[in-house]
Each structure stands twice: as C-alpha cells, then as structure tokens.
Coordinates of all heavy atoms in Angstrom, one line a residue:
I16 N 89.6 98.6 90.6 CA 90.4 98.4 91.7 C 90.8 99.7 92.4 O 90.8 99.8 93.6 CB 91.7 97.6 91.3 CG1 91.4 96.2 90.9 CG2 92.8 97.7 92.4 CD1 90.9 95.3 92.1
S17 N 91.0 100.7 91.7 CA 91.4 102.0 92.3 C 90.2 102.5 93.2 O 90.5 103.2 94.2 CB 91.7 103.0 91.2 OG 90.6 103.4 90.5
G18 N 89.0 102.2 92.8 CA 87.9 102.6 93.7 C 87.6 101.7 94.9 O 86.8 102.1 95.7
L19 N 88.4 100.7 95.0 CA 88.2 99.8 96.2 C 89.1 100.1 97.4 O 88.9 99.5 98.4 CB 88.4 98.3 95.8 CG 87.5 97.7 94.7 CD1 87.9 96.3 94.4 CD2 86.0 97.7 95.3
Q20 N 89.9 101.1 97.2 CA 90.8 101.4 98.3 C 90.0 102.0 99.5 O 88.9 102.7 99.3 CB 91.9 102.4 97.9 CG 92.8 101.7 96.9 CD 94.0 102.6 96.6 OE1 94.6 103.2 97.5 NE2 94.4 102.6 95.3
I21 N 90.4 101.8 100.7 CA 89.7 102.3 101.9 C 90.5 103.5 102.5 O 91.7 103.4 102.7 CB 89.7 101.1 102.9 CG1 89.0 99.9 102.4 CG2 89.0 101.6 104.2 CD1 89.1 98.7 103.3
P22 N 89.7 104.5 102.7 CA 90.4 105.7 103.4 C 90.8 105.3 104.8 O 90.1 104.5 105.5 CB 89.3 106.7 103.5 CG 88.0 106.1 103.0 CD 88.3 104.7 102.5
A23 N 92.0 105.7 105.2 CA 92.5 105.3 106.5 C 92.0 106.3 107.6 O 92.7 107.3 107.9 CB 94.0 105.3 106.4
S24 N 90.9 106.0 108.1 CA 90.3 106.9 109.1 C 90.2 106.4 110.5 O 89.9 107.1 111.4 CB 88.9 107.3 108.6 OG 88.1 106.2 108.5
V25 N 90.4 105.1 110.6 CA 90.4 104.4 112.0 C 91.8 104.0 112.3 O 92.3 103.1 111.8 CB 89.4 103.2 112.0 CG1 89.3 102.6 113.3 CG2 88.1 103.6 111.4
P26 N 92.4 104.7 113.3 CA 93.8 104.4 113.6 C 94.2 103.0 114.0 O 95.2 102.5 113.7 CB 94.1 105.4 114.7 CG 92.9 106.2 115.0 CD 91.8 105.7 114.1
W27 N 93.3 102.3 114.7 CA 93.7 101.0 115.2 C 93.6 99.9 114.1 O 94.1 98.8 114.3 CB 92.8 100.5 116.4 CG 91.3 100.6 116.3 CD1 90.5 99.7 115.7 CD2 90.5 101.7 116.6 NE1 89.2 100.2 115.7 CE2 89.2 101.4 116.3 CE3 90.8 103.0 117.2 CZ2 88.1 102.3 116.5 CZ3 89.7 103.8 117.4 CH2 88.4 103.5 117.1
F28 N 93.0 100.3 113.0 CA 93.0 99.4 111.8 C 94.0 99.8 110.7 O 94.0 99.3 109.6 CB 91.6 99.2 111.2 CG 90.7 98.5 112.0 CD1 89.6 99.1 112.6 CD2 90.9 97.1 112.3 CE1 88.7 98.4 113.4 CE2 90.0 96.4 113.1 CZ 88.9 97.1 113.6
Q29 N 94.8 100.8 111.0 CA 95.7 101.5 110.1 C 96.6 100.5 109.3 O 96.7 100.6 108.1 CB 96.5 102.6 110.8 CG 97.3 103.4 109.8 CD 96.4 104.3 109.0 OE1 95.4 104.9 109.5 NE2 96.7 104.4 107.7
D30 N 97.2 99.6 110.0 CA 98.1 98.6 109.4 C 97.4 97.7 108.4 O 97.9 97.5 107.3 CB 98.9 97.8 110.4 CG 99.9 98.6 111.2 OD1 100.3 99.7 110.8 OD2 100.2 98.1 112.4
A31 N 96.3 97.2 108.8 CA 95.5 96.4 107.9 C 95.0 97.2 106.7 O 95.1 96.7 105.5 CB 94.3 95.8 108.6
V32 N 94.5 98.4 106.9 CA 94.1 99.2 105.8 C 95.2 99.5 104.8 O 95.1 99.5 103.6 CB 93.4 100.5 106.3 CG1 93.1 101.5 105.2 CG2 92.1 100.1 107.0
N33 N 96.4 99.9 105.4 CA 97.5 100.2 104.6 C 97.9 99.0 103.7 O 98.2 99.1 102.5 CB 98.7 100.7 105.4 CG 98.5 102.1 105.9 OD1 97.7 102.8 105.4 ND2 99.3 102.4 107.0
A34 N 98.0 97.8 104.3 CA 98.3 96.6 103.6 C 97.3 96.3 102.4 O 97.7 96.0 101.3 CB 98.4 95.4 104.5
Y35 N 96.1 96.5 102.8 CA 95.0 96.3 101.8 C 95.1 97.3 100.6 O 95.1 96.9 99.4 CB 93.6 96.4 102.4 CG 92.5 96.4 101.4 CD1 92.0 95.2 100.9 CD2 91.9 97.6 101.0 CE1 91.0 95.2 100.0 CE2 90.8 97.6 100.1 CZ 90.4 96.4 99.6 OH 89.4 96.4 98.7
N36 N 95.4 98.5 101.0 CA 95.5 99.6 99.9 C 96.7 99.3 99.1 O 96.7 99.6 97.9 CB 95.5 100.9 100.6 CG 94.1 101.4 101.0 OD1 93.1 100.8 100.6 ND2 94.1 102.4 101.9
Q37 N 97.8 98.8 99.7 CA 99.0 98.5 98.9 C 98.7 97.4 97.9 O 99.2 97.5 96.7 CB 100.2 98.2 99.8 CG 100.7 99.3 100.5 CD 101.8 98.9 101.6 OE1 102.0 97.7 101.9 NE2 102.5 99.9 102.1
V38 N 98.0 96.4 98.3 CA 97.6 95.3 97.4 C 96.8 95.9 96.2 O 96.9 95.5 95.1 CB 96.9 94.2 98.1 CG1 96.3 93.2 97.1 CG2 97.9 93.5 99.1
C39 N 95.8 96.7 96.6 CA 95.0 97.4 95.6 C 95.8 98.2 94.6 O 95.6 98.1 93.3 CB 93.9 98.3 96.2 SG 92.6 97.4 97.0
Q40 N 96.7 98.9 95.1 CA 97.6 99.7 94.2 C 98.4 98.9 93.3 O 98.6 99.1 92.1 CB 98.5 100.6 95.0 CG 97.7 101.8 95.7 CD 98.6 102.5 96.7 OE1 99.7 102.2 96.9 NE2 98.0 103.5 97.4
L41 N 99.0 97.8 93.8 CA 99.8 96.9 93.0 C 99.0 96.2 92.0 O 99.4 96.1 90.8 CB 100.4 95.8 93.9 CG 101.3 94.7 93.2 CD1 102.4 95.4 92.5 CD2 101.7 93.6 94.2
Y42 N 97.8 95.7 92.3 CA 96.9 95.1 91.3 C 96.4 96.0 90.3 O 96.4 95.7 89.1 CB 95.7 94.4 92.0 CG 95.0 93.4 91.1 CD1 95.5 92.1 91.0 CD2 93.9 93.8 90.4 CE1 94.9 91.2 90.2 CE2 93.3 92.9 89.6 CZ 93.8 91.6 89.5 OH 93.2 90.7 88.6
E43 N 96.2 97.3 90.7 CA 95.8 98.3 89.7 C 97.0 98.5 88.7 O 96.7 98.6 87.5 CB 95.5 99.6 90.4 CG 95.1 100.7 89.5 CD 94.8 102.0 90.3 OE1 95.1 102.1 91.5 OE2 94.4 103.0 89.6
K44 N 98.2 98.6 89.2 CA 99.3 98.8 88.4 C 99.5 97.7 87.4 O 99.7 97.9 86.2 CB 100.6 99.0 89.2 CG 101.9 99.2 88.5 CD 103.1 99.2 89.4 CE 104.3 99.2 88.6 NZ 105.5 99.1 89.5
L45 N 99.5 96.4 87.9 CA 99.7 95.3 87.1 C 98.6 95.1 86.1 O 98.9 94.7 84.9 CB 99.8 94.0 88.0 CG 101.1 94.0 88.9 CD1 101.0 92.8 89.8 CD2 102.4 94.0 88.1
S46 N 97.4 95.3 86.4 CA 96.3 95.1 85.5 C 96.4 96.2 84.4 O 96.1 96.0 83.2 CB 94.9 95.1 86.1 OG 94.7 96.2 86.9
G47 N 96.8 97.4 84.8 CA 97.1 98.5 83.8 C 98.2 98.1 82.8 O 98.1 98.3 81.6
Q48 N 99.2 97.5 83.3 CA 100.3 97.0 82.4 C 99.8 95.9 81.6 O 100.2 95.8 80.4 CB 101.5 96.6 83.3 CG 102.2 97.7 84.0 CD 103.3 97.2 84.9 OE1 103.4 96.0 85.3 NE2 104.1 98.1 85.4
G49 N 99.0 95.0 82.1 CA 98.4 93.9 81.4 C 97.6 94.4 80.2 O 97.7 93.9 79.1
F50 N 96.8 95.5 80.4 CA 96.0 96.1 79.4 C 97.0 96.6 78.3 O 96.7 96.3 77.1 CB 95.2 97.3 79.9 CG 94.7 98.2 78.8 CD1 93.6 97.8 78.1 CD2 95.4 99.4 78.5 CE1 93.1 98.7 77.1 CE2 94.9 100.2 77.5 CZ 93.8 99.9 76.8
Q51 N 98.0 97.3 78.6 CA 98.9 97.8 77.6 C 99.6 96.7 76.8 O 99.7 96.8 75.6 CB 100.0 98.7 78.3 CG 99.5 99.9 78.9 CD 100.5 100.7 79.7 OE1 101.6 100.2 80.0 NE2 100.2 101.9 80.1
Q52 N 100.0 95.6 77.4 CA 100.7 94.5 76.7 C 99.7 93.8 75.8 O 100.0 93.4 74.7 CB 101.3 93.6 77.7 CG 102.5 94.1 78.5 CD 103.6 94.6 77.6 OE1 104.0 93.9 76.7 NE2 104.1 95.7 77.8

C-alpha cells in the first residue's frame, strides 16, 4: 500500500490525490496494526 501513493504533481487533481493518499496511509497503518495483533 505504501508504494501505491501518488505524488502530487498536478495541481488541479491535488484534492483527489490527497484524499487517495490519505486512504492509502490509513490502510497502511491499519494493516500494519493488523499484522502486529
């Protein structure tokens, strides 16, 4: 998941890219916690 984030290089898609990257970060965090548990 950490490798699926998109670099924010196109300003008019910035909001969509930021939202997508936030979902990726959250899923990465939760799956990491799942691994530990």
Side-chain angles (χ1 to χ4, degrees):
I16 290 294
S17 67
L19 295 177
Q20 294 187 40
I21 300 171
S24 59
V25 182
W27 53 86
F28 290 114
Q29 188 68 41
D30 290 339
V32 169
N33 285 344
Y35 172 80
N36 285 342
Q37 287 174 347
V38 169
C39 286
Q40 290 169 0
L41 177 62
Y42 197 82
E43 179 183 8
K44 176 184 172 187
L45 293 176
S46 58
Q48 290 172 347
F50 165 77
Q51 292 172 350
Q52 293 300 317

